[in-house]
Every structure is written in structure tokens, then in C-alpha cells.
Amino acid sequence: NAGVMQNPRHLVRRRGQEARLRCSPMKGHSHVYWYRQLPEEGLKFMVYLQKENIIDESGMPKERFSAEFPKEGPSILRIQQVVRGDSAAYFCASSPRTAGANVLTFGAGSRLTVL
Amino acid sequence: AQSVTQLDSQVPVFEEAPVELRCNYSSSVSVYLFWYVQYPNQGLQLLLKYLSGSTLVESINGFEAEFNKSQTSFHLRKPSVHISDTAEYFCAVSELDSSASKIIFGSGTRLSIRP
């Protein structure tokens, strides 16, 4: 069981470009969560998805950010027209059911640097 | 909505000394409580969790946490720390009985161990 796989591990973009971060959940997990980690700010919830559905996107910025979890393939977090403030580590986590009492399994993260 | 407060951003201690990392939470409903640990350049891993029953929960590497409902706290303790405990520790909370539950994390406490 390969665990939660995130790629790329490191991504460098110039201001105005697009960033696409991918997350393959653990086998058998149909719930995916995205978090953003900024220095000294801890982990901020962004979005919670199940296959083909966005369940909770209350932590997503209203513009430029979007997420999907298609029926086939990985979940994707997309950031359009990146700005320096988007530089952060983005973590994906998965669980077999809604979080509740369930432990989240985290990927190693994708570190985005915007020049 | 639930929230988590970790008052100490950094805690330096000497090796073999005891340590306590503080965590307070706020929620209008009953919650589950977690401590996750993040080693450098890695994703988060579960350290321990409180779901129900005994208010004192333990991890396999000597950490323990006690759920105190009246004080809405879930402080993490270890009687004697090792260099290998150097990491960032995150307290987290999720709501009971929610069909769309997410886990909310505190801002983290960086534990540094001095030899």
C-alpha cells in the first residue's frame, strides 16, 4: 500500500503562471482533504472532496483556487495566476470515510515556490 | 464551528526533561481530539487520539494526553524526552456525528530538544 502520493514534491512557478498539484489517496480511501501550511501559521483547511463532489470548500480562497476529485484519477488542486503569497506547502490527506473519528493519512506535501 | 489554540509556538527543553504542549479547543458540539506529529520535510502522522472512554490516552512512544472537558483542553505530555522527539506537534479536533466532518488543526508547537 503506497500511502497518499503527492506530486510534484517541489514546484517553482513565476507570478501569473498556473500551478497544478496532484494527490492520489490511499487505496480504498474515497475522501480527500487539502491543507495549506504557511510558516508560523500551522495547517489551514482548504477543501474536502469525495469522488466527483466538493463537500466543503469553506477554506478555499474565492478566486484563482479550485479543486476536483474525478471518478478516475487523482485529486487536483489548481491555482491560477499564482502570486508570491501562494508560496507554501500544500498537503493532501485521505480517509476511508468522513473525518470524524477517522485518522487522516497524509502525503509528504507539495512545496510551491512562486518567484 | 470548531477551533484549536496552541499557545506555545516553540518549546525548547533539555533531553530527558519532561515536557507539556498545551492545546485548548472550542466547539459548540462534542468533538474528537487528536495530536499529530510532523518530522522535518514530511507529512503529518497520528500520535494519539481521544474518541471516548478513558480521558487519558497514550501513544506507543511514551507521549500521553488527557481530555479535560471542563477546561476544554487536551494537553500533550511526556515525562522524559529524547532527541528523536524533535518535531512539530499539532493538536486537532473534529466534530462528532457529522456527515461531512473535517479536521481542524492548531497552529503547531515546535519542540526542540537540547542535549
Side-chain angles (χ1 to χ4, degrees):
Chain A
N1 195 333
V4 178
M5 303 302 292
Q6 288 190 249
N7 65 81
R9 290 292 311 274
H10 301 276
L11 182 64
V12 179
R13 285 288 179 265
R14 295 190 181 280
R15 281 180 296 170
Q17 292 183 318
E18 178 179 288
R20 283 192 182 223
L21 309 178
R22 288 176 291 278
C23 169
S24 296
M26 276 190 73
K27 188 176 181 180
H29 287 193
S30 58
H31 298 246
V32 166
Y33 300 79
W34 283 94
Y35 291 84
R36 177 164 63 176
Q37 185 175 34
L38 291 162
E40 311 302 327
E41 292 190 21
L43 239 61
K44 296 294 187 187
F45 168 78
M46 299 183 74
V47 62
Y48 163 31
L49 311 105
Q50 294 180 37
K51 287 282 187 182
E52 301 184 278
N53 285 307
I54 296 175
I55 306 302
D56 184 336
E57 56 181 348
S58 57
M60 287 275 273
K62 293 290 186 283
E63 297 178 350
R64 301 187 298 107
F65 284 72
S66 62
E68 62 176 10
F69 189 16
K71 186 176 180 181
E72 301 291 338
S75 175
I76 294 175
L77 180 67
R78 182 182 177 205
I79 311 172
Q80 295 177 290
Q81 299 176 313
V82 296
V83 301
R84 288 217 174 103
D86 297 332
S87 295
Y90 293 83
F91 288 93
C92 169
S94 72
S95 69
R97 290 173 293 280
T98 192
N102 291 297
V103 175
L104 296 185
T105 301
F106 279 83
S110 292
R111 281 162 178 77
L112 172 66
T113 302
V114 179
L115 302 177
Chain B
Q2 67 268 41
S3 67
V4 180
T5 301
Q6 292 181 250
L7 290 172
D8 306 306
S9 59
Q10 294 188 53
V11 174
V13 295
F14 287 104
E15 195 173 14
E16 298 183 7
V19 69
E20 178 179 83
L21 307 183
R22 296 180 293 169
C23 171
N24 289 88
Y25 69 92
S26 172
S27 177
S28 56
V29 300
S30 296
V31 296
Y32 298 117
L33 294 158
F34 307 82
W35 277 97
Y36 281 78
V37 58
Q38 184 181 31
Y39 298 103
N41 299 314
Q42 295 184 26
L44 277 68
Q45 306 169 34
L46 179 74
L47 188 61
L48 46 74
K49 62 182 178 182
Y50 170 77
L51 304 182
S52 64
S54 172
T55 56
L56 185 66
V57 290
E58 299 176 350
S59 73
I60 58 173
N61 57 352
F63 282 93
E64 64 179 29
E66 186 159 18
F67 169 52
N68 187 320
K69 189 174 182 180
S70 62
Q71 297 186 5
T72 60
S73 69
F74 192 53
H75 301 329
L76 182 70
R77 303 184 187 94
K78 188 169 185 179
S80 176
V81 295
H82 301 128
I83 292 285
S84 59
D85 295 324
T86 298
E88 189 154 20
Y89 293 80
F90 292 91
C91 183
V93 62
S94 68
E95 293 180 344
L96 264 71
D97 300 326
S98 169
S99 61
S101 185
K102 58 183 181 278
I103 293 184
I104 300 299
F105 289 85
S107 55
T109 298
R110 193 173 300 277
L111 178 62
S112 58
I113 313 295
R114 302 168 177 171

